[in-house]
């Protein structure tokens, strides 16, 4: 078959140093793969043009792969990012 060009954009996941989300464009389809991340709307939209484009619906995301490990209710007591940083320094 005919080969499709692939573009990959790495987006800071605001999780730990080096953690990223992968935004793939394959033959015109956009796929966002999200592993562990810590959502902070203002920070992440400020830092990522691609997330702003999705948020404003300027671009359409065709598929989202979302790691849901911490959606389990047993993790409801996770500390805030600020509390975790303070505990480390």
């Amino acid at each position: 078959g005919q080969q499709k060009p692939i573009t990959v954009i790495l987006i800071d996941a605001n999780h730990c140093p080096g953690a990223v989300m992968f935004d793939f464009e394959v033959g015109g389809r956009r796929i966002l793969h999200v592993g562990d991340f810590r959502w902070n709307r203002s920070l992440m939209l400020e830092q990522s043009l691609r997330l702003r484009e999705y948020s404003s619906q300027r671009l359409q995301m065709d598929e989202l792969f979302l790691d849901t490990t911490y959606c389990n209710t047993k993790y409801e007591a996770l500390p805030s990012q600020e509390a975790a940083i303070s505990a480390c320094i």
Side-chain angles (χ1 to χ4, degrees), residues 6-50:
I6 298 173
T7 302
V8 182
I9 297 173
L10 278 61
I11 302 170
D12 186 342
N14 191 37
H15 174 62
C16 62
V20 295
M21 298 180 275
F22 293 93
D23 186 78
F24 298 93
E25 187 171 341
V26 183
R29 293 183 51 78
R30 292 184 182 87
I31 303 160
L32 183 62
H33 184 279
V34 179
D36 289 338
F37 71 102
R38 189 178 292 265
W39 182 251
N40 176 319
R41 183 180 178 84
S42 59
L43 175 71
M44 294 181 85
L45 291 180
E46 178 183 313
Q47 292 182 355
S48 172
L49 171 61
R50 183 54 56 105

